Amino acid sequence: MSQQQRQITVTEHLLLHQKQSPTATGMFTQLLYDLILAAKLISRNVTKAGLLDVLGETGEINVQGEDVQKLDAYANRIIIHRMQRSGALCAMASEENADIIPIPERFTHGDYILIFDPLDGSSNIDVNINVGTIFSILRRISPPEQDVTQSDVLQPGYKQMGAGYVMYGPSTMLVYTTGQGVHAFTLDPSVGEFLLSQNNMQIPETGRTYSVNEGNVTFWDEKTAKAVQSFKGTDNPRGKPYTHRYVGSLVADFHRTLLKGGIFMYPMDYKIPDHPRGKLRLLCEASPMAMLAEQAGGVASDGHRRILEIVPDTLHTRVPLFIGSKNDVEHVMEILK
Ligand code: AHG
Ligand code: MN
Ligand code: MN
């Protein structure tokens, strides 16, 4: 990429795409712009986490039954506060909130719904390892004069208007798609802007890395264990053993997979006997990552079905996730058949 291309800001990029797409509206661009501002505010605090009183737990348990970290709660508040003022939204849904978050009457309402994981990988905050914010954007299906209903939010992933994440790592990066490829930007803190790093990213067809929490092996069924095991031998798309990498932050594990190829897995497990389930949330984790993966030429599956075709039962429906290089994910699906 030329030096000139590297100086394209995310705002310019969004406007360029808006011009190229006959259906794009200024509202959608405004929505993303406001979301980027919220992400910059979160980034500011995450990078100073050890200096501010933001580490540790709040003492609360969230709707998922998990400990709420102070930064989880902070990121959630920032996004809700900023985004309800954007004028583009009619509702939001967050990993941290049990129900749909309405937009108060006093603000302008739009047609879009924002679903987000305010801070992904929060168990990694206290040890200064990458965390991120994941987002998914839907358009409401009910008429604008009515209240937003559950069915406006419980749409399958292929209906997403856009999706992406911001990763707070050694540098803060934004990766997004609006259905016209996947593009990555890096926050230049000295100018406060996200500048283009990679245009039209493509996941390699076969990778060399597998990523999974193997501590769960005793909770997996036989086929899942066999699929994971296959990456340590030669009976796999690469024909030789893969390298293992696991951060434990989906944003970081997915970002590596997007750039380098390979497969990230969070399979179904039997941690609760007789209740097989996946861990990752369909609406705020699996679906947005699946849209990015497909836009980059990769595959995202729950082991049998395309993630983007699964209709969520509830706001917090969880699914198994196999995502990454086409050949690697299809190889696992073949074993799980
Ligand atoms: P969150 O911090 O938003 O609750 O998400 C954590 C998720 C995801 O980031 C990661 O892939 C996975 O949990 C890791 O789970 P394990 O610790 O069970 O490996
Ligand atoms: Mn998460
Ligand atoms: Mn989270």
Side-chain angles (χ1 to χ4, degrees), residues 79-309:
I79 297 177
I80 294 172
H81 177 86
R82 278 246 67 84
M83 297 314 294
Q84 62 188 5
R85 288 166 169 75
S86 83
L89 298 178
C90 54
M92 287 181 263
S94 163
E95 184 203 84
E96 300 295 336
N97 295 59
D99 300 314
I100 295 176
I101 305 163
I103 305 296
E105 277 300 321
R106 63 183 186 281
F107 298 122
T108 310
H109 288 214
D111 283 342
Y112 295 104
I113 296 165
L114 174 70
I115 306 175
F116 58 97
D117 178 352
L119 212 65
D120 171 69
S122 43
S123 67
N124 275 325
I125 298 167
D126 287 359
V127 289
N128 196 13
I129 288 177
N130 298 12
V131 290
T133 297
I134 309 174
F135 61 91
S136 159
I137 300 160
L138 294 168
R139 200 200 285 270
R140 70 181 297 169
I141 44 184
S142 62
E145 57 281 4
Q146 290 174 15
D147 285 343
V148 174
T149 62
Q150 288 268 337
S151 54
D152 287 311
V153 185
L154 303 181
Q155 300 187 50
Y158 72 85
K159 301 259 180 156
Q160 290 171 105
M161 308 295 296
Y165 57 86
V166 178
M167 185 171 74
Y168 315 107
S171 42
T172 293
M173 288 194 82
L174 164 73
V175 177
Y176 88 95
T177 182
T178 52
Q180 300 177 75
V182 179
H183 318 289
F185 298 79
T186 304
L187 181 63
D188 182 336
S190 61
V191 290
E193 286 281 5
F194 279 98
L195 303 177
L196 186 62
S197 303
Q198 276 141 312
N199 218 356
N200 278 319
M201 302 166 86
Q202 286 291 311
I203 305 185
E205 280 219 324
T206 305
R208 46 173 64 220
T209 306
Y210 78 100
S211 183
V212 65
N213 183 347
E214 257 185 296
N216 291 333
V217 62
T218 48
F219 303 116
W220 293 339
D221 62 22
E222 224 173 276
K223 284 182 176 174
T224 304
K226 187 178 168 210
V228 173
Q229 184 65 26
S230 75
F231 291 108
K232 303 180 196 182
T234 53
D235 191 9
N236 56 46
R238 194 173 172 231
K240 50 182 172 178
Y242 285 49
T243 291
H244 178 252
R245 291 281 185 273
Y246 190 72
V247 177
S249 290
L250 176 64
V251 264
D253 284 312
F254 178 79
H255 190 70
R256 180 195 57 249
T257 309
L258 179 63
L259 264 74
K260 305 269 188 199
I263 183 167
F264 170 84
M265 303 173 260
Y266 210 110
M268 183 185 81
D269 64 47
Y270 287 83
K271 275 186 199 153
I272 308 169
D274 303 324
H275 280 90
R277 59 162 208 180
K279 175 180 182 184
L280 299 178
R281 276 75 30 153
L282 176 57
L283 282 170
C284 67
E285 294 177 320
S287 260
M289 293 315 199
M291 182 175 186
L292 291 165
E294 288 199 5
Q295 283 288 318
V299 174
S301 163
D302 72 345
H304 307 278
R305 295 171 294 175
R306 186 176 165 226
I307 291 287
L308 293 183
E309 282 174 18

Side-chain angles (χ1 to χ4, degrees), residues 8-22:
I8 296 180
T9 68
V10 66
T11 317
E12 286 172 314
H13 200 265
L14 282 167
L15 288 171
L16 197 75
H17 275 219
Q18 186 191 319
K19 276 192 202 121
Q20 284 166 355
S21 159

